[in-house]
Amino acid sequence: MPAKTVVFTNVRKFDGDKFRWLSSGEYIQMSGRAGRRGIDKRGICILMVDEKMEPAVAKSMLKGSADSLNSAFHLSYNMLLNQLRSEDGDPENLLRNSFFQFQADRAIPDLEKQIKALQEERDSMVIEEEESLKKYYNLILQYKSLKKDIREIVFSPKYCLPFLLPNRAVCLDCANDDGEPRSFSIEDQDTWGVIMKFNKVKSLSEDDDNRRPEDANYTVDVLTRCLVSRDGFGKKKMKPVPIKERGEPVVVSVPLSQIKSLSSAIMNIPKDYLQLEARENALKKVSELLSRHPDGIPLDPEVDMKIRSSSYKKTVRRLEAVENLFEKYKIAKSPLIAEKLKVLHMKEELTAKIKSLKKAVRSSTALAFKDELKARKRVLRRLGYITSDGVVELKGKVACEISSAEELTLTELMFSGVFKEAKVEELVSLLSCFVWRERLPDAAKPREELDLLFIQLQDTARRVAEVQLDCKVDIDVESFVHSFRPDIMEAVYAWAKGSKFYEIMEIARVFEGSLIRAIRRTEEVLQQLIVAAKSIGETQLEAKLEEAVSKIKRDIVFAASLYL
């Protein structure tokens, strides 16, 4: 489908972890579609930008270089079954000769070179009384770990939400998770600020609205002193600094894990923080509190916050025992102890890097995906797709033909009789769940008969996912189940019933191109199911599937050209 114009409805995307700007490689790939060969002298590319975009971000996206070519090879059940079905098929040989394996092998000399350089750097660090210092260093790490465990209990939403009141003084860890290496110190640097409000973090999970408040994630807006800078993309970065150091008084959003303690003091300060002077005055009042009470009058977890958790009491006892051990170490009184610990910390970090690189070398020399291959074969045996000798069974023959949808769930549905019982239009509507991946927030729930089919699909998907989990395949059961979306079931049902294209666009509030692509992909899945039904002699099902194709393969959706 060549196009004269490419429109980016958004310049951010969710990559499975977070929302981020499009990379230059992604932009090049998509914008490169603009312009029809032999018709247009140039293509038109439109970016719909609905939020502030720094010039540096735009420049890196539009003028940056293409992404480097890395193997995205992954094992699929369809590929594995086709290899087992073929006389000269050998999955291990396929993996051994893959581009993924080639890249892994090619990386070994460079990894070994890095290991050697790091070992030389580590060996050049000579520390006096290293053994004794290392024991003291490990004790500090244990102490910090226990303090962190206590903070996680105290500042879990269950206990701390009632105390996150506006204008309460709060102590924060100055460290932020920006990926920068931190030098080692006995006591971590902290700062103080004033709580503005707390916010519930919305997750992408399906049942987010049904979660209890104490099970959700929260961030806290805190007025504190920060160093404000800009990163390479021109985006503002704010790093909290000790309250007496130079910096700007700004409101930052921090996770609960960054809070070190809550003060019992609630500051009497005005609500308007728009003016710089008002923010400075608020922090001055916090400084005055600290000059009178250096510890900030912290809330007592047991007395004030009423924490009665046995895990809290157990961790506090362990912390007290560790604190008593510090007295044994004479090396702690050394005038250069801080510098010595920093050097040892660097040495330990180098050792950890070397260990990680050696592990990467070992995994590179081994066959890529070896464990995953074994796990996936176990799944196929458990579900009856292959015999214990690796011979492909009837179910396996069907899955061999399906490459455009999740083959195991689709095959299980086919063998459970769902396809035979459903009407043609309902069958097409159900198959749309396999090809539609977008989440529509305002999508209407499908009618009862379609919803029952969707529930059967979810039950089958859950059973397939749980078998995979049992067989040691790395899979998130809930994410897998919710990857099947019912959002366009009604629209596809209406299309199969003979509705006009403008009518189904009223049902599914999506872009025309997205819906056309989904219906085309549904037809592709139907064609593969026809071949699968034919291969196992299911003539009635084959005829039903062919009827389904004839019902959806019409009009603008399957026009040879969109130049109308």
Side-chain angles (χ1 to χ4, degrees), residues 210-268:
N210 304 324
R211 291 171 84 182
R212 295 180 302 171
E214 60 265 32
D215 294 333
N217 292 322
Y218 293 85
T219 57
V220 185
D221 291 350
V222 178
L223 170 65
T224 187
R225 200 168 295 285
C226 290
L227 273 179
V228 181
S229 59
R230 292 186 182 273
D231 62 14
F233 295 109
K235 188 182 176 184
K236 264 190 179 182
K237 286 174 72 180
M238 290 181 283
K239 186 181 189 303
V241 293
I243 199 163
K244 290 181 181 176
E245 287 189 13
R246 288 181 63 185
E248 295 179 32
V250 289
V251 176
V252 289
S253 188
V254 299
L256 290 176
S257 58
Q258 207 171 325
I259 298 176
K260 288 188 86 169
S261 69
L262 292 172
S263 171
S264 56
I266 294 179
M267 318 301 293
N268 183 18

Side-chain angles (χ1 to χ4, degrees), residues 485-543:
R485 307 289 316 160
D487 302 344
I488 62 164
M489 284 184 85
E490 281 290 351
V492 174
Y493 180 80
W495 182 251
K497 277 280 191 183
S499 297
K500 301 284 185 190
F501 189 70
Y502 75 86
E503 290 173 338
I504 68 165
M505 284 309 302
E506 290 292 320
I507 300 168
R509 299 284 183 172
V510 296
F511 289 108
E512 290 89 338
S514 298
L515 193 54
I516 286 172
R517 181 173 178 269
I519 296 172
R520 279 174 170 253
R521 287 193 64 204
T522 304
E523 190 265 344
E524 194 178 306
V525 173
L526 278 166
Q527 294 289 5
Q528 290 171 5
L529 284 170
I530 288 167
V531 175
K534 191 180 283 184
S535 70
I536 60 169
E538 281 282 352
T539 50
Q540 281 185 314
L541 182 59
E542 185 189 340

Side-chain angles (χ1 to χ4, degrees), residues 150 153 302 307-320:
I150 289 171
I153 296 167
E302 290 186 57
I307 297 174
R308 304 279 186 263
S309 157
S310 58
S311 58
Y312 170 77
K313 290 176 180 176
K314 187 180 175 182
T315 312
V316 167
R317 284 197 298 272
R318 286 176 64 197
L319 182 70
E320 287 168 356

